[in-house]
Amino acid sequence: MALHKFTIIISLSCLYWLSPALSAPSTSPPTASQAKQPHAEAARPTAKPGNKAAQSLNQAAATPAKTQLSKKTAAPAAVNRPLPEKPTLQEMRDWIEEMKTRERGPFKHIRWFCKDGKILEPSPFACEPYGGGVQHGEWTDKTKKIREMGFPIANVLADLKPEQVIGWDADASFLPFLLMEKFLIDFDDGWVFRRARFYRGALQDYNEQDVATEILLAMLGDPVWREQFAPLREAARLLPHGVSTNVLTQIRGLSTTIAEKDPGFSNLRDKIHVAPDARDAQRVRDYAAGNKAKPTLLEEYARLIESIDKAYALKTLPSALEDLGKRVGNDVLKARIAEMSAELQARPAAEDQFRLSADVLVFIRENLLDLGRTRVRLQAMDVSLVAEVNAFTASRELLQALPQASRSKRLAWMGLSARALYGLGLLTQREHDEIHRSLARLPAGRTVTVDTYRSELQYLERPPGWSARRLAYHFGDAIDRMKPLEPMIEMYVPDRLRSSPMLFYSSVLESLVEDAARLSGVEHSLFNQKVGTGLRRLNPGIARGVLYTKAETEPQVTDGTAAIWLVPETTADLPAVAGILTAEEGNALSHVQLLARNLGIPNVVVGRNLIDSLQSRRGKTIVLAASPAGVVRIEDDGPQWAGLLGLASGQEASRQYITVDLQKLDLSQTRFIPTSQLSATDSGRSVGPKAAQVGELSKQFPGQVSPGLAIPFGIYRAMLDRPREPGKPQTMFAWMQAQYAEMALLAPGPRAERQLEFLSTMRAWIGKQELDDAQKAALRTAMRDTFGEEGSYGVFVRSDTNIEDLPGFTGAGLNKTVPNVV
C-alpha cells in the first residue's frame, strides 16, 4: 500500500552485525533525561475506617529538588551497608521484592516537604513559616538508587506540577511510565506500596487527587492531548481524581496474588481471568469457607469478594449521565444525554444495557470538545469510564446466553462490541468501519458458503491485535523500560483488553470459529490419534522442539535448542520458545497469545482431557502444526517431517549463530541517501532491506511510492567510535566487543542477565548521542530537498538492520516505527 500522505525516514542501525551470536529480548533504555524527570504518582482514595478489605492503595514519593534536611532537624543517619554505585538488575529486583514486604515500603520515614525546599520532621504546620508544603514519605536510599538508574518508581503526585508531566518542557516518556506504575499498583496488590499504603502519613489522598485532577484538566485543555483519545482516557482511568472504575484490574491482580500464595486457588483464578461473571464472588466465598482455603489469606479472600461485588453492582450510568447533562450548555447534546439516561433506566435487559453503553462511549468520544470547558470534559471522561464498566458487566450476562444464541445474534453482538471499542479509543474509525463491512458480508437470514464464513472470521480475528498494537504504541516504551525491573508490567496490555468489551468480542468470535471448524469437518490429530475436541488454534504456524511444561522446574535449555512449552493460560513470563501449548482456557487476549501473535509462533489451546497425553512426552521432541484454517496436528518428530522442516530432530542445537556477509558491508557511506537513489542490491551493503526495497519499488513504480531518506550504516558506525564515558579513552565499539567476548563464556542463565544489562546500557548511551552540527545541517538540507519545506509534512521513522530476513531468521517485529513525526 502506497503512503501518499506521509513520507518515510528510514533510520538504519547495524548494532547486531557486530556479533550475530547475541540474541536477547527487547528492553527500552532509561535515558539521562528520564533519570532527571520530575516525580509523580497516582494514588488511590483513602480507605474507609475499620474496613480493611476495602482499603485502597496509597503511594508516596518525594521530589529530588527537596532531598536535603534542614540542619536543625536533620535525622541521625542509619548505619547501613554502602549500596553499590551501579546495582545490577537482579539487585534492584530484590529491592523491589523487599519493598513489597516492608511495613514502610519504599519509604524510610515521614517528612514535611516545604515549598522553599526544606525537608522537616513531622510536626503540626511545620512548613507554614516557609510558604507551606505537603507531608508524605521520604524515599529510602535503595529507592533513590533505583531512580538514579533510570527507573522513576515510587512516585507521588503531591509535589508535582502539571507542566512537569505535560507540555513542551516535560519529558514525554514520563507520563506513560507513571501510568504503568499505577497499573502495577492496581494489578499487583499495591506493588511496592503493598504494606506502605497503610503507613499512616505516607500520603495525603486529597493532595494526590487534587494534583491528579490538575494534570487531567491540563491534558483536556491541551490540543496535542485532545487528539490522542486512547492515552487521554487511560490517564483518566489510572490517575486518582475521586472516581474509581479500575476495579476489574484489581480483581484480576488480587486473584493472581492469592493464587501465588495458595496454589489450590489457581483454577478459580483462571476462571476469573478468562470467563468472569457476577457469580465469581460466591465462588470465592465458597472456596474461602472450604477446607482447602488458607486461614492466613482470609483478608485477601474478603477483599476479592468485595471487589467482585463492587464491579457487578456498579449500575450508576443513568445518574452519571444526568449529572453530566446538568453541566452541558449545548441544548442538542443535553437532549441526547437525557434520552440515553432515560432509555438506560427503561431497558434493564443485558443486551439493551450493552448497546446503550456503547452509544454512550461513542457519544463522548465524538463530542468531547463540544460538551463544555475542561472540567465538564473530565466529568464526561468519568461517565465514559462508568459506561465501560456497565458494558462489561452486561456482556458477562450476555455470555451466559451464548450457547443458545444464533449465528446472526452472535455476529450482531460482535458489531456492538466493535462500536464500544471504538468509543474507548481502542479501535480507530477506519478499523471500526472495516469490521462492520466484514460483518455485512455475513448477512442475517441469508446463506453463505462455509469458505466465506471462515474467511470473514479469519479477518475478524484481527481486532485484538489492532487494539494491542495501539496500546503498545502509546505505552510500549514505558513497558519495555520497566520490564527488566518488573516483568509483570507485560500484563498491562492483556489486562486492559480483558477489562474492555474486547473480552466479549473475542469470546463470541471463538464460538463462531469453533462453529466454522465443525461445519468444515475439521479433524485434529494428537500423536496419530484423531481428536474431535480439545485442540483449538489461537495462532497459526509450525514448530519443532522439545516439550517442556511450566509445572516442572524450568530446565536449562541449551543455546539453539528449540522448545515448545505447555503453559498455564495466565503465565506472566515465558522463555524463548518455538511454539506454545496453552492449557485449558486459552483466549485471544491472554498474555501468551499476544506474545505468540507478535512473534509469529504457533499457539494451540489444549483441553483438560488431553493434558496427560502431552505430559507423557515431556523432554521429547515433538512437532506442532496449526493451520490458518484451524486444523491442529501435534506429532512425535520423525523422518516424515524432514521434507517440510529441513533439519532432523536434534540438529537445531547447532544453529547458534546468524551468518552475515561482512565483506559486503560498506561503512564508508556517510551521506543521507534519498531512497530514490537506492535499489535492492544496496540491502545489507550501505542500508538495510527496508530502505533498499523502498528504493527498488520507487524504480519499479515511479510516482507511486512515497519519498524516503535513509541514514546509512556508516553514520551509525562512526558514532560508535565516540568514548563510552566522557573523558575516558575506551570507545563504545571497543567496549561492545569486550562485552560480547565475555558473554560468550557465560552459562545461559548469567548470560541472559548480562544481555539485559548490556542492552539497557547500549540503549541509554545511544539515547544520549546526537548528530554533530555538520550532520544536522546536512540532514536538514536532505530533508528539505526530499520532502519539502519544514512543517509541511510528517514522516515515519523506521529502524532497520543488516541482519533482517536472512536464511533461518526474520527480523519481523524486532524494529521500531514511529509514525507521523513532525
Side-chain angles (χ1 to χ4, degrees):
M1 178 179 67
L3 297 173
H4 297 293
K5 292 186 178 180
F6 302 100
T7 51
I8 305 173
I9 294 180
I10 304 181
S11 176
L12 301 165
S13 156
C14 58
L15 169 62
Y16 289 97
W17 70 260
L18 295 167
S19 175
L22 179 63
S23 175
S26 173
T27 58
S28 285
T31 65
S33 62
Q34 289 164 344
K36 297 176 182 177
Q37 268 301 293
H39 310 304
E41 199 249 313
R44 301 290 306 282
T46 304
K48 296 178 181 179
N51 186 357
K52 291 184 179 180
Q55 284 180 322
S56 300
L57 311 184
N58 294 321
Q59 312 159 23
T63 303
K66 304 178 179 180
T67 54
Q68 289 184 343
L69 285 168
S70 60
K71 291 183 179 178
K72 66 177 181 179
T73 62
V79 179
N80 291 315
R81 180 181 301 174
L83 297 178
E85 181 181 354
K86 292 186 177 180
T88 66
L89 282 172
Q90 187 57 54
E91 287 173 323
M92 290 189 288
R93 290 192 201 109
D94 292 341
W95 295 348
I96 291 291
E97 292 304 312
E98 177 186 314
M99 291 176 196
K100 294 179 183 180
T101 59
R102 287 185 72 246
E103 182 180 0
R104 299 184 178 186
F107 307 122
K108 55 185 175 183
H109 43 222
I110 305 298
R111 289 290 182 264
W112 274 98
F113 296 85
C114 305
K115 289 184 178 180
D116 71 345
K118 290 185 175 63
I119 299 177
L120 308 176
E121 290 185 359
S123 63
F125 313 108
C127 284
E128 205 167 85
Y130 309 104
V134 292
Q135 178 182 278
H136 54 71
E138 183 177 18
W139 295 320
T140 64
D141 291 341
K142 289 180 179 178
T143 306
K144 294 175 183 178
K145 183 62 69 173
I146 291 174
R147 294 181 67 91
E148 289 173 8
M149 294 299 293
F151 301 99
I153 66 163
N155 290 294
V156 64
L157 293 177
D159 286 321
L160 197 65
K161 300 184 187 313
E163 56 267 25
Q164 294 173 284
V165 182
I166 65 171
W168 295 110
D169 295 330
D171 183 342
S173 69
F174 180 66
L175 180 60
F177 191 97
L178 171 66
L179 296 179
M180 290 303 95
E181 183 185 39
K182 184 63 178 71
F183 162 75
L184 280 175
I185 292 164
D186 283 336
F187 186 79
D188 192 26
D189 194 24
W191 196 47
V192 296
F193 302 98
R194 186 169 294 169
R195 297 190 64 191
R197 56 193 171 183
F198 308 125
Y199 177 29
R200 184 180 177 89
L203 282 198
Q204 304 296 334
D205 279 353
Y206 57 86
N207 288 332
E208 298 295 294
Q209 293 187 20
D210 286 349
V211 175
T213 300
E214 289 181 23
I215 292 171
L216 292 170
L217 292 174
M219 294 175 72
L220 286 161
D222 186 335
V224 173
W225 279 104
R226 292 202 306 260
E227 296 300 318
Q228 302 185 61
F229 186 79
L232 176 61
R233 193 176 182 281
E234 278 299 272
R237 190 175 74 93
L238 292 168
L239 291 177
H241 59 287
V243 177
S244 179
T245 56
N246 214 19
V247 65
L248 299 172
T249 289
Q250 296 165 22
I251 290 170
R252 277 185 293 278
L254 189 53
S255 66
T256 297
T257 300
I258 292 173
E260 289 173 352
K261 301 175 182 177
D262 178 5
F265 192 78
S266 296
N267 288 339
L268 188 49
R269 181 269 318 271
D270 291 346
K271 160 66 176 65
I272 291 170
H273 277 241
V274 176
D277 61 63
R279 292 187 291 273
D280 288 337
Q282 187 58 49
R283 293 184 180 101
V284 179
R285 286 188 185 96
D286 294 341
Y287 181 89
N291 56 17
K292 292 184 178 179
K294 291 193 173 184
T296 56
L297 298 179
L298 290 179
E299 183 176 334
E300 281 90 339
Y301 299 139
R303 285 169 52 210
L304 179 57
I305 291 166
E306 183 177 37
S307 295
I308 296 172
D309 284 339
K310 179 181 177 181
Y312 291 94
L314 193 60
K315 300 286 187 180
T316 60
L317 184 53
S319 60
L321 281 167
E322 289 175 2
D323 291 341
L324 175 63
K326 294 174 184 177
R327 301 187 63 186
V328 172
N330 184 305
D331 290 340
V332 174
L333 298 180
K334 183 189 291 284
R336 177 59 181 143
I337 290 171
E339 179 183 330
M340 290 187 294
S341 177
E343 196 170 359
L344 278 160
Q345 295 178 70
R347 297 179 179 274
E351 186 168 353
D352 289 323
Q353 290 290 307
F354 188 64
R355 173 179 57 82
L356 291 166
S357 296
D359 288 346
V360 172
L361 291 167
V362 172
F363 172 83
I364 291 174
R365 176 175 181 175
E366 294 184 342
N367 296 283
L368 182 64
L369 300 184
D370 298 322
L371 291 172
R373 296 182 181 274
T374 53
R375 286 196 176 273
V376 181
R377 294 172 192 167
L378 180 56
Q379 185 176 354
M381 279 295 206
D382 293 338
V383 174
S384 177
L385 295 171
V386 174
E388 180 182 0
V389 177
N390 202 59
F392 185 90
T393 55
S395 73
R396 304 325 294 168
E397 189 174 339
L398 280 179
L399 206 57
Q400 304 306 311
L402 182 61
Q404 292 77 41
S406 65
R407 294 186 185 101
S408 59
K409 175 63 71 175
R410 298 183 197 194
L411 292 168
W413 287 348
M414 290 177 63
L416 289 176
S417 301
R419 180 167 168 77
L421 290 163
Y422 164 69
L424 298 180
L426 293 178
L427 293 176
T428 65
Q429 180 72 62
R430 179 183 175 186
E431 289 165 346
H432 169 270
D433 293 346
E434 289 299 327
I435 290 170
H436 280 272
R437 289 189 185 97
S438 180
L439 292 169
R441 290 190 283 269
L442 300 171
R446 295 187 184 180
T447 301
V448 298
T449 66
V450 173
D451 285 346
T452 298
Y453 185 35
R454 286 170 47 191
S455 176
E456 295 303 332
L457 291 177
Q458 287 176 25
Y459 183 82
L460 291 168
E461 288 181 311
R462 297 182 181 185
W466 294 342
S467 295
R469 292 284 183 165
R470 179 148 295 105
L471 291 170
Y473 169 66
H474 292 296
F475 300 106
D477 284 348
I479 291 170
D480 285 345
R481 183 176 165 197
M482 174 70 85
K483 185 167 57 178
L485 192 67
E486 178 53 86
M488 192 177 292
I489 192 62
E490 286 194 294
M491 298 305 294
Y492 165 72
V493 172
D495 177 81
R496 182 65 191 99
L497 296 182
R498 286 186 171 202
S499 61
S500 78
M502 187 63 84
L503 181 59
F504 183 54
Y505 178 97
S506 298
S507 299
V508 176
L509 174 63
E510 287 168 7
S511 74
L512 292 172
V513 169
E514 290 182 0
D515 177 54
R518 180 182 57 79
L519 292 174
S520 303
V522 168
E523 286 188 331
H524 308 300
S525 172
L526 179 65
F527 304 124
N528 294 319
Q529 299 294 317
K530 298 294 183 183
V531 176
T533 61
L535 294 175
R536 175 163 54 89
R537 184 270 297 165
L538 282 179
N539 209 59
I542 186 167
R544 171 200 278 141
V546 177
L547 179 63
Y548 297 110
T549 70
K550 292 290 283 185
E552 62 187 279
T553 301
E554 293 185 8
Q556 293 293 320
V557 180
T558 58
D559 285 351
T561 300
I564 295 174
W565 283 79
L566 174 64
V567 298
E569 189 276 337
T570 55
T571 185
D573 64 316
L574 199 63
V577 295
I580 302 172
L581 298 167
T582 303
E584 299 187 58
E585 293 288 351
N587 184 275
L589 305 184
S590 68
H591 171 66
V592 291
Q593 168 53 12
L594 293 175
L595 179 67
R597 184 191 297 273
N598 288 341
L599 297 179
I601 58 180
N603 182 15
V604 170
V605 178
V606 180
R608 183 188 298 270
N609 58 314
L610 303 179
I611 296 294
D612 288 344
S613 295
L614 280 165
Q615 294 279 20
S616 68
R617 258 63 172 198
R618 281 188 305 177
K620 299 183 182 300
T621 302
I622 66 170
V623 172
L624 168 63
S627 76
V631 180
V632 176
R633 290 182 63 184
I634 302 175
E635 307 291 354
D636 292 310
D637 191 19
Q640 70 273 22
W641 293 102
L644 180 63
L645 299 178
L647 295 174
S649 176
Q651 288 184 284
E652 288 88 349
S654 64
R655 284 189 169 181
Q656 297 184 29
Y657 299 95
I658 298 169
T659 303
V660 181
D661 183 4
L662 298 182
Q663 299 301 317
K664 178 182 180 182
L665 200 59
D666 178 9
L667 299 177
S668 65
Q669 181 61 263
T670 57
R671 70 180 182 89
F672 301 99
I673 311 171
T675 52
S676 60
Q677 299 176 15
L678 296 170
S679 66
T681 59
D682 293 303
S683 177
R685 186 182 307 280
S686 57
V687 298
K690 295 185 185 70
Q693 295 300 336
V694 168
E696 186 68 28
L697 288 171
S698 299
K699 288 180 169 56
Q700 298 294 331
F701 303 97
Q704 300 300 308
V705 179
S706 296
L709 191 64
I711 303 176
F713 296 139
I715 290 179
Y716 179 83
R717 175 62 184 85
M719 179 187 70
L720 297 178
D721 284 334
R722 297 175 181 176
R724 176 175 170 253
E725 297 182 69
K728 295 187 178 180
Q730 186 185 41
T731 67
M732 175 53 75
F733 186 75
W735 177 82
M736 291 170 67
Q737 288 180 310
Q739 292 294 305
Y740 284 129
E742 291 177 14
M743 284 188 284
L745 302 176
L746 297 176
R751 184 189 308 137
E753 178 78 14
R754 184 71 166 274
Q755 286 172 349
L756 287 175
E757 294 181 4
F758 171 82
L759 289 170
S760 180
T761 300
M762 278 298 305
R763 291 191 172 100
W765 184 86
I766 292 171
K768 293 185 289 187
Q769 303 308 305
E770 292 190 6
L771 298 174
D772 61 34
D773 291 342
Q775 288 172 323
K776 288 181 181 178
L779 178 58
R780 187 172 290 110
T781 298
M783 291 181 70
R784 184 182 64 244
D785 293 344
T786 303
F787 305 133
E789 290 301 317
E790 185 174 329
S792 65
Y793 58 85
V795 298
F796 279 70
V797 183
R798 183 67 190 265
S799 62
D800 206 358
T801 76
N802 67 324
I803 65 162
E804 291 194 62
D805 306 321
L806 297 175
F809 175 79
T810 175
L814 298 182
N815 295 314
K816 183 170 184 175
T817 299
V818 183
N820 198 25
V821 178
V822 295

